Amino acid sequence: MKLVDHQEVDVVVTAVAPYGSQVGADDVTRFVDQAKHPSWWSSDVPPPQVGDRLHTVVLDDSRTPPRLSALTTDVDIARVLGGRAS
């Protein structure tokens, strides 16, 4: 499935590194930078682990793999930019 900027997608963490997480959905690999995971900003949120499910938004569909964010603020911004604000 081809992703586009501001699209929301549910993913599963498939690998974790010090700089971010590899995630996948529909057998396609994507990436969430460590600063785009809630654990980077709050000690109350556990760091990502393999098998975690995340609701994300596409930040940059031109990168390989596409860059996603699991931050609710980025999802909210994407909804406004995509005309889907609730």
Side-chain angles (χ1 to χ4, degrees):
M1 169 168 99
K2 170 74 171 121
L3 297 178
V4 295
D5 287 348
H6 316 305
Q7 178 181 351
E8 293 179 52
V9 61
D10 292 318
V11 298
V12 176
V13 176
T14 57
V16 178
Y19 48 85
S21 301
Q22 179 178 303
V23 297
D26 304 323
D27 295 324
V28 177
T29 299
R30 295 152 181 142
F31 185 80
V32 176
D33 183 274
Q34 68 179 0
K36 294 300 183 176
H37 187 275
S39 64
W40 178 257
W41 302 102
S42 173
S43 60
D44 295 333
V45 177
Q49 295 183 8
V50 172
D52 285 355
R53 295 182 181 279
L54 302 172
H55 183 73
T56 63
V57 65
V58 179
L59 297 179
D60 189 350
D61 63 5
S62 69
R63 304 276 304 269
T64 303
R67 296 310 198 252
L68 309 179
S69 173
L71 299 177
T72 56
T73 52
D74 286 335
V75 172
D76 291 344
I77 290 168
R79 287 177 178 169
V80 169
L81 294 174
R84 298 181 315 274
S86 50

